[in-house]
Amino acid sequence: MAVLELADAREPDLLQDADRLGLLRHMLAMRAVEERALKLYKQGRIPGSMYDGRGQEAISVAATWALAGADAVCSPLIRDLGAHLVRGTDLADIFRHYMGRRNPLSQGREGNVHFGDRRRGVVGMVSMLPDMMVVAVGLAMAFRMRGEQRCALTFFGDGATSRGDWHEAMNWAALDKLPVVFVLENNQMAYSTPTARQFAVDPVHRAAGYGIQACTVDGNDPEAVFGAVWHARRRALAGEGPTLVEAVTMRMHGHGAHDDARYVDPELVRTWSLRDPIDLFGARMRGRGADVVALSAEVDAEVEAAVQAALATPMADPATATDGVFCTAEPEPLGTGPSRYSGYAGAA
Amino acid sequence: MAQRTYLQAISDGLREEMRRDERVFVMGEDVGAFGGAFKVTDGLLEEFGAERVRDTPIAEAGIIGTAVGAAIAGLRPVCEMQFADFIACGFDQLVNVAAKMHYRLGLAVPLTVRLPSGGGFSGGPFHSQNPEAWFMHAPGLKVLAPSTPQDAKGMLAAAIRDPNPVVFLEHKHLYRRVRDEVPDGAYATQPRARLAREGTDATVIAYGAMVHAALEAAGGIDASVEVLDLRSLVPLDEEAILASVRRTSKVLVLDEANRTCAAGAQVASLIADRGFEDLDAPVRRLATPDVPIPFSPPLEQAVLPSVDAIGEAIRELLAY
Ligand SMILES: Cc1ncc(C[n+]2csc(CCOP(=O)(O)OP(=O)(O)O)c2C)c(N)n1
């Protein structure tokens, strides 16, 4: 099973300028939301812990952008806020959720990026890595059984490739040639453990062993990520089976807000900082005539308004703490609700 | 009504639900052409095809996890664990992914996991467990354990129609041992507790295979002994339990699972908490000691609650 050529995976002609602007807007929003959230965390307004994906915005934003609205994202992880933003989740609700205030995403029962939205086809994550990979395989199985032209996309980090569920998901998806896109976010670190202490054989090469096509792309370039995922989705819907897309990047900070990352070589971070995805793509877009400064200001204003709305919302109601353990009504399946969600216009 | 074994009743229940609702499908190891390790799914492949009767790789986390995905997508998966013991390999998917999903995210997971459980046939330490207490402690899971063919069929339907993840314990020692009249066609039995035998002098509370042992023991005693079949462990029919305590004032809680934190411990604690005033004797418990279930028949018989031991415990209770 060949590892796909990069040139093959990258098809920049697919993108219209409106798409590129959308990518940039969502990357800027992800950065702005997370920087603001870190401040709120330091002010004690976000309880618990705070994790973010600064420096990795190109991956979740561009991967989700390459899907159609009916495709499932299962599930965005702690560095994948961009997936939620692309799907159109309300910014104020995200801040309400972060802060444990009343909100429709989690009703205060969850925190951080642990949320989803059934109507938008986004399944929330669980902490156990990479449990949601098999769940994504199950979604793909259901789509196939019903003859629907939909795929499931799932994110995971380099560290998550060591657990059994990863292997079960890869094997299972390959066996049935299921429409799944596996997006490996290789940011070279799993908490304080570098990939050199995580695996002896690179997951991309392991994928071949399972009978899964794989490719490696520059995780700091949204157009490269977009092209690879678009290609993987096309394969998935054509019945050619799952694809593993490895997006190579670097974690630019600690594992979470509590971690000063003293164990990382500062020189490595410095070199990668010259390749910040927003700086690079912003410069490219300026070259195409985009007013990046104005776009950024617009995004910042939206984020600030969302923060203020969230701060004005009461905390979650303790009287609801024991509600909802069981479902008491006929459930609605994923991605069938009334709300509009965004998807790549050219995906269908 | 037809005479059906417990195993045939489960098989019938599955078939009826698959006919009734095209969202229902089964998956597990060797459930297709082979018909399942115990033959519960025999014949389903012929009727419903390989899309709805899916053989899986040996991947228990995969079985539960993909079923969660399919359930979220709007299907009604029924997973078979080849033996209940192997659920340990898919435990995380059940307690962390499936069970918490609705509370955390409002996302329903209509999933049924069938667990051939229990001992009594020299299955040894890896093929004889009663793991129900593991799941009772994980909020978000329902836990059912039928004891009769009629209940097995109706409660399986109730499990499949439930919008929540349901752990369905089928006692494999009952598969071919009990036979009864079972209604034809599809029906769902609401899993409230059932009075298996009415009495006034003492109550034995049991579920699964132990209901039959309790009935046998009660029949050999010259007193009026009530047997309450719990049928559902989560939710627990607390009112039925307390009502029986009020009637008889003496209770033996019987459990085939290992004693510590078993389902029966929860029942005993409920009675201590809310039925104390109605008691004429301390609540007694009989369960399997805290050992893995041994293989050799005399060893296995030494640890599982026997009809004799149950009878003796009832007599001691009556004499208190
Ligand atoms: C099964 C499991 N074990 C341990 C953890 C704790 N944990 C959370 S994130 C993390 C590191 C994950 O690394 P990676 O998958 O590379 O993702 P990254 O944080 O680099 O984005 C660990 C060890 C966990 N979430 N799940």
Side-chain angles (χ1 to χ4, degrees):
Chain A
M1 185 83 25
V3 171
L4 290 180
E5 291 296 318
L6 191 59
D8 193 16
R10 207 187 139 134
E11 301 195 24
D13 291 353
L14 293 167
L15 288 168
Q16 307 297 312
D17 268 355
D19 290 310
R20 292 196 177 86
L21 265 184
L23 290 174
L24 183 59
R25 167 182 272 277
H26 286 105
M27 287 165 64
L28 287 166
M30 177 169 164
R31 177 79 51 100
V33 167
E34 293 189 333
E35 283 182 346
R36 194 66 179 82
L38 284 161
K39 265 193 212 144
L40 291 165
Y41 173 77
K42 285 181 185 141
Q43 292 166 352
R45 290 203 158 110
I46 289 182
S49 49
M50 183 63 214
Y51 303 89
D52 70 285
R54 284 167 301 145
Q56 297 179 218
E57 293 88 351
I59 302 171
S60 60
V61 167
T64 311
W65 197 268
L67 302 178
D71 296 328
V73 186
C74 174
S75 56
L77 301 174
I78 55 176
R79 324 244 181 252
D80 300 327
L81 177 68
H84 298 283
L85 300 180
V86 168
R87 285 290 165 116
T89 300
D90 183 67
L91 286 183
D93 282 339
I94 293 177
F95 281 105
R96 291 183 182 107
H97 158 88
Y98 279 154
M99 294 192 266
R101 311 222 169 205
R102 286 179 200 183
N103 75 84
L105 300 177
S106 62
Q107 308 192 57
R109 294 163 185 169
E110 266 289 12
N112 202 263
V113 204
H114 293 233
F115 66 90
D117 189 335
R118 176 185 57 68
R119 295 163 307 163
R120 295 183 164 86
V122 182
V123 183
M125 62 172 280
V126 302
S127 271
M128 290 69 199
L129 300 167
D131 280 13
M132 297 307 283
M133 273 181 81
V134 268
V135 177
V137 172
L139 285 164
M141 190 170 83
F143 299 159
R144 167 74 55 80
M145 284 168 76
R146 286 192 300 233
E148 297 170 346
Q149 284 288 298
R150 299 165 83 180
C151 76
L153 178 142
T154 183
F155 295 102
F156 54 97
D158 39 280
T161 63
S162 302
R163 261 201 74 240
D165 290 27
W166 189 87
H167 300 271
E168 293 193 19
M170 295 292 279
N171 183 52
W172 191 303
L175 267 175
D176 286 347
K177 283 192 178 296
L178 290 172
V180 195
V181 183
F182 296 116
V183 178
L184 161 56
E185 234 155 314
N186 184 352
N187 65 4
Q188 309 183 49
M189 300 299 301
Y191 218 133
S192 71
T193 307
T195 48
R197 296 293 311 147
Q198 198 70 242
F199 40 71
V201 176
D202 203 273
V204 172
H205 293 290
R206 256 192 269 154
Y210 286 103
I212 289 182
Q213 291 269 7
C215 66
T216 297
V217 295
D218 177 356
N220 285 23
D221 178 352
E223 296 193 59
V225 175
F226 175 89
V229 173
W230 184 88
H231 200 276
R233 178 177 185 272
R234 193 175 60 177
R235 292 192 68 239
L237 297 189
E240 291 167 34
T243 307
L244 185 149
V245 175
E246 179 194 40
V248 178
T249 183
M250 176 67 202
R251 201 186 72 204
M252 299 304 293
H253 41 77
H255 176 63
H258 59 278
D259 170 13
D260 64 8
R262 67 183 65 180
Y263 46 82
V264 178
D265 174 6
E267 188 47 32
L268 188 63
V269 177
R270 206 192 61 78
T271 353
W272 276 90
S273 70
L274 303 174
R275 308 199 48 245
D276 181 275
I278 295 181
D279 291 351
L280 292 184
F281 190 54
R284 201 184 299 165
M285 290 302 288
R286 267 194 299 278
R288 297 177 81 98
D291 186 345
V292 180
V293 175
L295 185 64
S296 188
E298 211 176 285
V299 166
D300 286 347
E302 274 175 29
V303 169
E304 199 44 45
V307 170
Q308 294 313 321
L311 285 170
T313 308
M315 293 302 282
D317 179 1
T320 64
T322 57
D323 291 349
V325 174
F326 291 108
C327 175
T328 52
E330 180 69 17
E332 282 177 72
L334 200 69
T336 55
S339 85
R340 278 177 55 90
Y341 39 81
S342 57
Y344 175 52
Chain B
M1 296 263 252
Q3 280 279 326
R4 306 300 274 164
T5 62
Y6 183 88
L7 185 146
Q8 286 165 336
I10 294 170
S11 186
D12 289 354
L14 209 44
R15 189 178 300 102
E16 296 287 356
E17 288 307 300
M18 291 180 79
R19 284 178 184 163
R20 192 178 157 270
D21 183 347
E22 62 174 15
R23 297 172 303 174
V24 179
F25 72 100
V26 301
M27 64 172 166
E29 290 151 23
D30 312 297
V31 296
F34 184 64
F38 295 97
K39 297 285 181 238
V40 171
T41 56
D42 208 13
L44 296 184
L45 177 69
E46 287 73 11
E47 181 170 350
F48 300 104
E51 277 284 293
R52 292 181 70 197
V53 185
R54 304 177 77 91
D55 276 333
T56 68
I58 301 176
E60 283 74 15
I63 293 170
I64 309 289
T66 56
V68 171
I72 290 171
L75 298 179
R76 298 265 166 163
V78 181
C79 304
E80 174 175 302
M81 286 291 114
Q82 206 151 54
F83 282 83
D85 311 64
F86 300 128
I87 191 66
C89 306
F91 187 77
D92 170 47
Q93 287 287 338
L94 203 50
V95 304
N96 280 318
V97 184
K100 297 175 186 171
M101 194 72 91
H102 189 263
Y103 182 76
R104 298 169 59 235
L105 310 170
L107 209 54
V109 183
L111 153 70
T112 303
V113 187
R114 295 181 31 240
L115 299 182
S117 53
F121 62 103
S122 287
F126 299 113
H127 298 79
S128 307
Q129 282 177 94
N130 293 283
E132 46 273 22
W134 300 350
F135 304 111
M136 293 174 69
H137 203 68
L141 299 177
K142 294 191 176 175
V143 182
L144 306 184
S147 69
T148 68
Q150 186 167 339
D151 280 355
K153 180 174 171 183
M155 284 164 60
L156 181 61
I160 293 171
R161 296 177 198 181
D162 199 297
N164 295 285
V166 182
V167 177
F168 188 81
L169 296 136
E170 35 194 69
H171 200 290
K172 54 190 178 294
H173 199 41
L174 300 180
Y175 273 154
R176 295 185 167 80
R177 223 163 38 109
V178 293
R179 175 186 289 277
D180 205 353
E181 294 284 320
V182 174
D184 300 324
Y187 64 92
T189 303
Q190 282 323 308
R192 310 294 303 269
R194 172 185 73 97
L195 265 188
R197 186 183 205 269
E198 287 184 39
T200 51
D201 298 336
T203 299
V204 184
I205 298 178
Y207 61 93
M210 283 294 115
V211 172
H212 298 276
L215 287 170
E216 200 180 328
I221 285 174
D222 193 16
S224 173
V225 178
E226 183 151 300
V227 176
L228 187 70
D229 176 0
L230 290 174
R231 301 209 282 197
S232 170
L233 304 176
V234 178
L236 195 59
D237 191 344
E238 300 190 345
E239 293 318 313
I241 293 167
L242 295 171
S244 182
V245 174
R246 280 195 294 276
R247 275 193 297 277
T248 67
S249 304
K250 293 185 173 181
V251 190
L252 169 66
V253 187
L254 182 58
D255 214 312
E256 188 186 305
N258 296 117
R259 183 177 175 84
T260 299
C261 296
Q266 183 63 26
V267 173
S269 127
L270 167 76
I271 297 169
D273 195 21
R274 290 179 52 201
F276 187 77
E277 306 276 306
D278 298 311
L279 288 172
D280 275 344
V283 178
R284 282 223 47 185
R285 286 188 60 207
L286 190 59
T288 295
D290 293 330
V291 292
I293 308 304
F295 157 74
S296 172
L299 297 189
E300 185 180 31
Q301 280 154 29
V303 301
L304 297 181
S306 65
V307 172
D308 285 350
I310 297 165
E312 200 180 307
I314 297 172
R315 280 193 199 91
E316 279 173 19
L317 194 61
L318 290 166
Y320 182 87

